[in-house]
């Protein structure tokens, strides 16, 4: 195949040059062919005059499960935006099914290249802090290290146990990776960690972070040897300016981390790239940090650049400014042509029957959600999770609440009640918390997609709607739903492990879009990404305070705090 007259991106000079490109056996063979080469017949010749030719985008920090779909359906959609390679951390499916979940994902055969990271923190903290369906320990890590699909150790989240002087599991996992695969990148998760704590984190060998950044954190982390993976919520004019002023182009990549299914219909890594450009990053640098630096970080040395001997993954764009994809090629083969609707067929995937029956808890009753205290109590001081409308961070506040007949009266006090219900048949415990800043109207929202343990969570302004929402998800074996006046007004079915769906993405996206709209309009949920905000209220490694099935937990110290303090007359 010969691509003629394209504006070809040169990763080494970070410029566009009008050239012709020869492709043989799935690899780039030559740029700007000699007269002899130009005279040789080829099986296919494409005149790309006026179009831009760039390497396929590479996303090195993301989770397929965040799009709530299966690998092959993810591949079909991501390819249409020019994403040809990803490195996925499958810690969501691992939290539900352990090694079996990871292996089921890895057994699928998507058209795009999906490499994987070893989930390092399953559970994200430890079994004393949260209950999961699966656990990834040394035996599982050792087995996964033998698999060539593994390109990194997935995000290490448990700061306390990583920097501990004790021989904790995460320290043992890091040591095993260093011993068995010394060049394996060790990925991290370290929001709001700086100074001596950051030094300890990096000294452990975990030297990348994808969490929300500020100009100050960018400078501190990169100058201390940390590689940054800049996701959408870190892209602002001030952070981009900082990266440019310090010429940090070799030390960061653009990544997605999480893309909800309804957002996924409209873009993927290309949207993060365009956002960075709008904030001032030159297009050439944005492409460079979405292809070449990403490939280098993960030692994917056979791709990320249009050069002889590299895999012929590339995108032809009609418009560079708004990323209008004309065609996408994988290994030199046309795999997607969005404007014509063409997409190469993905192989069908099947999962074990038990993957479709993974929620094991009796139906809830209203009595399960009563906050009971001593009959003699007249009031209580309640610990409250305050939801940030612009981020997934939370903070701890308090509220004074009256008590009647030993039951806390929280309704009509500007609060919502949240419950986290153990769903794996490992005790069935139900933990409760109060929240503020989320639901503002009458109703409830429930989900079995709850970072990262994926127990069943429900939040509402009244108990009957909470019970109805939770029981609906137990009945359909997982998903997201909104309930008002004990009627389900929106629902997305996630029948595989309670976290992903094998239905077409467009159908799933429509369901999630309806849930999002119902959360915002019917429940008055205040957040720029209501679906993600709710799902992270149970993520104990995210600052500051979150709710697991074991109770209210402070992320940095892994200390539980009581829900209420009683005040007796």
């Amino acid at each position: 195949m010969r691509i003629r007259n394209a504006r070809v991106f040169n990763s080494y000079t970070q410029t566009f040059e009008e050239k012709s490109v020869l492709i043989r056996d799935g690899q780039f063979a030559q740029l700007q062919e000699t007269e002899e080469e130009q005279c040789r017949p080829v099986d296919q010749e494409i005149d790309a005059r006026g179009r831009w030719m760039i390497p396929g985008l590479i996303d090195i920090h993301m989770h397929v499960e965040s799009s709530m779909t299966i690998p092959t359906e993810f591949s079909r959609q991501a390819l249409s935006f020019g994403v040809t390679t990803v490195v996925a951390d499958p810690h969501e499916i691992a939290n539900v099914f352990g090694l079996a979940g990871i292996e089921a994902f890895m057994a699928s055969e998507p058209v795009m290249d999906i490499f994987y990271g070893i989930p390092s923190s399953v559970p994200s903290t430890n079994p004393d802090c949260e209950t999961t369906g699966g656990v990834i320990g040394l035996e599982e890590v050792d087995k996964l290290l033998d698999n060539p699909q593994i390109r990194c150790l997935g995000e290490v989240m448990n700061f306390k146990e990583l920097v501990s002087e004790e021989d904790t599991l995460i320290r043992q996992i890091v040591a095993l990776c260093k011993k068995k695969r010394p060049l394996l990148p060790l990925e991290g998760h370290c929001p709001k960690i700086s100074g001596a704590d950051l030094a300890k984190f990096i000294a452990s060998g975990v030297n990348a972070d994808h969490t929300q950044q500020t100009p100050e954190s960018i400078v501190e982390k990169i100058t201390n040897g940390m590689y940054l993976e800049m996701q959408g919520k870190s892209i602002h004019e001030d952070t981009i300016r900082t990266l440019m002023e310090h010429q940090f182009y070799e030390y960061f990549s653009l990544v997605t981390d999480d893309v909800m299914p309804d957002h996924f219909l409209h873009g993927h890594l290309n949207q993060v790239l365009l956002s960075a450009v709008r904030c001032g990053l030159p297009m050439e640098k944005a492409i460079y940090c979405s292809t070449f630096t990403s490939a280098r970080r993960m030692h994917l040395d056979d791709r990320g650049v249009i050069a002889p001997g590299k895999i012929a993954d590339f995108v032809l764009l009609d418009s560079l400014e708004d990323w209008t994809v004309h065609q996408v090629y994988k290994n030199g083969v046309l795999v997607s042509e969005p404007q014509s609707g063409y997409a190469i067929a993905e192989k069908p995937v099947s999962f074990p029957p038990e993957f479709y029956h993974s929620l094991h808890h009796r139906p809830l009753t209203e009595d399960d959600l009563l906050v009971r205290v001593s009959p003699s109590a007249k009031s209580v001081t309640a610990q409250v999770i305050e939801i940030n409308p612009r981020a997934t961070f939370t903070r701890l506040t308090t509220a004074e609440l009256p008590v009647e007949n030993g039951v806390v009266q929280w309704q009509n006090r500007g609060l919502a009640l949240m419950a986290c219900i153990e769903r794996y048949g490992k005790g069935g415990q139900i933990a409760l918390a109060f929240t503020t800043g989320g639901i503002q109207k009458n109703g409830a929202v429930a989900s079995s997609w709850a970072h990262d343990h994926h127990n069943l969570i429900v939040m509402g302004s009244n108990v009957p709607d909470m019970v109805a929402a939770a029981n609906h998800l137990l009945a359909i074996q997982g998903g997201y739903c909104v309930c008002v006046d004990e009627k389900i007004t929106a629902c997305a079915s996630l029948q595989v492990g309670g976290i992903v769906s094998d239905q077409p993405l467009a159908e799933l996206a429509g369901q999630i879009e309806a849930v999002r709209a119902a959360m915002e309009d019917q429940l008055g949920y205040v957040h720029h990404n209501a679906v993600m905000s709710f799902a992270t209220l149970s993520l104990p490694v995210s600052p500051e305070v979150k709710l697991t099935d074991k109770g209210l937990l402070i992320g940095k110290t892994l200390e539980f705090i009581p829900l209420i303090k009683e005040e007796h007359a």
Side-chain angles (χ1 to χ4, degrees):
M1 173 191 288
R2 182 181 291 121
I3 308 292
R4 298 176 51 240
N5 305 316
R7 298 167 180 170
V8 180
F9 183 72
N10 187 314
S11 300
Y12 303 107
T13 62
Q14 295 164 47
T15 59
F16 284 97
E17 304 167 352
E18 188 165 313
K19 291 185 177 181
S20 293
V21 181
L22 189 65
I23 298 167
R24 290 199 197 101
D25 301 322
Q27 295 184 338
F28 298 116
Q30 190 174 2
L31 279 65
Q32 196 172 9
E33 308 98 305
T34 62
E35 290 186 7
E36 178 183 355
E37 287 289 350
Q38 291 176 357
C39 293
R40 285 188 182 182
V42 292
D43 58 352
Q44 184 181 9
E45 187 164 277
I46 296 172
D47 188 351
R49 189 177 302 278
R51 294 193 172 99
W52 286 261
M53 182 177 180
I54 68 165
L57 300 184
I58 301 174
D59 188 352
I60 61 170
H61 183 87
M62 52 79 64
H63 310 277
V64 171
E65 306 99 307
S66 292
S67 298
M68 303 181 191
T69 191
I70 58 177
T72 49
E73 187 68 8
F74 174 89
S75 168
R76 184 195 60 77
Q77 186 70 14
L79 283 168
S80 71
F81 303 118
V83 183
T84 55
T85 300
V86 302
V87 180
D89 184 339
H91 68 227
E92 314 293 358
I93 200 70
N95 269 275
V96 179
F97 295 122
L99 183 61
I102 301 171
E103 290 177 337
F105 267 38
M106 294 175 72
S108 63
E109 300 181 60
V111 174
M112 74 182 314
D113 285 329
I114 302 183
F115 295 99
Y116 288 90
I118 298 174
S120 63
S121 304
V122 179
S124 67
T125 52
N126 61 64
D128 293 329
C129 295
E130 56 188 308
T131 304
T132 57
V135 174
I136 300 300
L138 283 176
E139 182 179 347
E140 291 81 6
V141 171
D142 189 49
K143 182 176 181 181
L144 288 167
L145 284 169
D146 292 329
N147 194 309
Q149 285 181 265
I150 295 297
R151 305 306 303 188
C152 66
L153 179 66
E155 57 182 293
V156 176
M157 307 179 200
N158 192 336
F159 168 79
K160 180 180 178 181
E161 296 191 1
L162 178 69
V163 302
S164 171
E165 293 183 1
E166 299 177 4
D167 192 24
T168 59
L169 175 60
I170 187 58
R171 289 173 64 87
Q172 293 176 44
I173 288 173
V174 168
L176 177 60
C177 290
K178 288 179 178 179
K179 179 180 179 180
K180 197 164 184 178
R181 288 178 61 174
L183 298 180
L184 191 77
L186 308 179
E187 300 288 284
H189 173 114
C190 55
K192 296 189 175 182
I193 294 177
S194 64
D197 285 343
L198 179 64
K200 293 177 183 176
F201 196 97
I202 298 173
S204 73
V206 181
N207 63 353
D209 181 40
H210 68 279
T211 60
Q212 190 166 350
Q213 306 298 337
T214 64
E216 295 76 18
S217 72
I218 287 172
V219 173
E220 182 183 18
K221 288 176 178 176
I222 291 181
T223 57
N224 275 278
M226 182 164 268
Y227 190 90
L228 295 186
E229 292 150 358
M230 300 288 289
Q231 58 170 293
K233 64 184 179 183
S234 291
I235 305 297
H236 305 286
E237 289 184 1
D238 56 351
T239 54
I240 293 299
R241 186 183 309 115
T242 300
L243 291 165
M244 293 172 62
E245 286 177 350
H246 290 83
Q247 298 287 304
F248 280 152
Y249 304 114
E250 305 302 322
Y251 313 116
F252 79 93
S253 292
L254 300 177
V255 302
T256 60
D257 195 11
D258 303 298
V259 180
M260 298 288 99
D262 52 338
H263 296 162
F264 192 21
L265 283 183
H266 308 290
H268 195 256
L269 183 56
N270 60 309
Q271 294 284 29
V272 180
L273 182 155
L274 290 176
S275 177
V277 171
R278 287 191 293 268
C279 288
L281 188 66
M283 177 62 77
E284 291 82 358
K285 300 296 186 184
I287 294 172
Y288 184 72
C289 295
S290 303
T291 55
F292 197 38
T293 63
S294 305
R296 290 208 314 266
R297 168 66 186 173
M298 291 296 160
H299 302 299
L300 294 168
D301 300 323
D302 58 357
R303 68 195 68 208
V305 57
I306 299 173
K310 306 297 184 182
I311 292 175
D313 293 352
F314 63 96
V315 188
L316 293 177
L317 298 174
D318 288 330
S319 170
L320 191 61
E321 291 184 355
D322 60 7
W323 203 265
T324 304
V325 175
H326 177 65
Q327 291 177 328
V328 181
Y329 288 80
K330 183 79 188 74
N331 298 317
V333 176
L334 176 65
V335 293
S336 183
E337 192 172 57
Q339 296 176 56
S340 71
Y342 170 76
I344 195 169
E346 297 278 358
K347 292 184 178 180
V349 176
S350 62
F351 295 103
E354 60 268 24
F355 277 37
Y356 294 87
H357 300 279
S358 64
L359 272 68
H360 307 288
H361 195 281
R362 61 169 173 78
L364 264 64
T365 67
E366 293 187 17
D367 191 64
D368 290 322
L369 302 183
L370 296 181
V371 182
R372 297 186 183 277
V373 295
S374 300
S376 61
K378 299 301 180 183
S379 66
V380 295
T381 300
Q383 307 270 27
V384 179
I385 299 173
E386 184 176 298
I387 299 169
N388 187 324
R390 293 172 295 277
T392 56
F393 300 145
T394 60
R395 76 182 187 95
L396 190 64
T397 185
T398 60
E400 301 298 320
L401 300 175
V403 176
E404 293 183 8
N405 300 319
V407 177
V408 176
Q409 305 299 302
W410 56 271
Q411 297 88 339
N412 303 314
R413 299 280 174 167
L415 301 177
L417 180 67
M418 180 176 173
C420 185
I421 303 145
E422 191 282 312
R423 57 159 273 200
Y424 297 105
K426 298 181 177 181
Q429 60 270 11
I430 301 172
L432 301 175
F434 296 111
T435 67
T436 184
I439 288 178
Q440 309 294 321
K441 300 179 183 179
N442 186 55
V445 57
S447 176
S448 56
W449 209 110
H451 274 297
D452 282 337
H453 46 74
H454 301 300
N455 285 297
L456 181 60
I457 56 175
V458 58
M459 180 168 64
S461 56
N462 69 83
V463 170
D465 281 342
M466 292 175 67
V467 170
N471 285 343
H472 180 73
L473 293 188
L474 288 171
I476 68 171
Q477 285 295 298
Y480 243 102
C481 74
V482 171
C483 182
V484 178
D485 296 331
E486 299 184 63
K487 295 180 180 178
I488 304 301
T489 59
C491 182
S493 175
L494 303 174
Q495 66 274 49
V496 181
I499 62 171
V500 297
S501 171
D502 56 9
Q503 63 186 310
L505 181 69
E507 293 180 19
L508 171 64
Q511 295 169 7
I512 289 293
E513 188 174 26
V515 168
R516 187 188 304 279
M519 289 180 69
E520 295 171 351
D521 300 336
Q522 297 173 15
L523 304 184
Y525 199 105
V526 179
H527 199 276
H528 76 278
N529 188 346
V531 173
M532 178 59 72
S533 169
F534 180 53
T536 55
L537 292 178
S538 65
L539 177 59
V541 294
S542 175
E544 174 185 84
V545 57
K546 300 297 169 79
L547 178 69
T548 76
D549 64 300
K550 301 294 183 74
L552 276 171
L553 190 66
I554 301 297
K556 187 172 183 180
T557 62
L558 298 185
E559 294 176 329
F560 285 103
I561 57 174
L563 175 60
I564 54 177
K565 178 181 178 181
E566 298 185 18
E567 300 290 341
H568 296 272

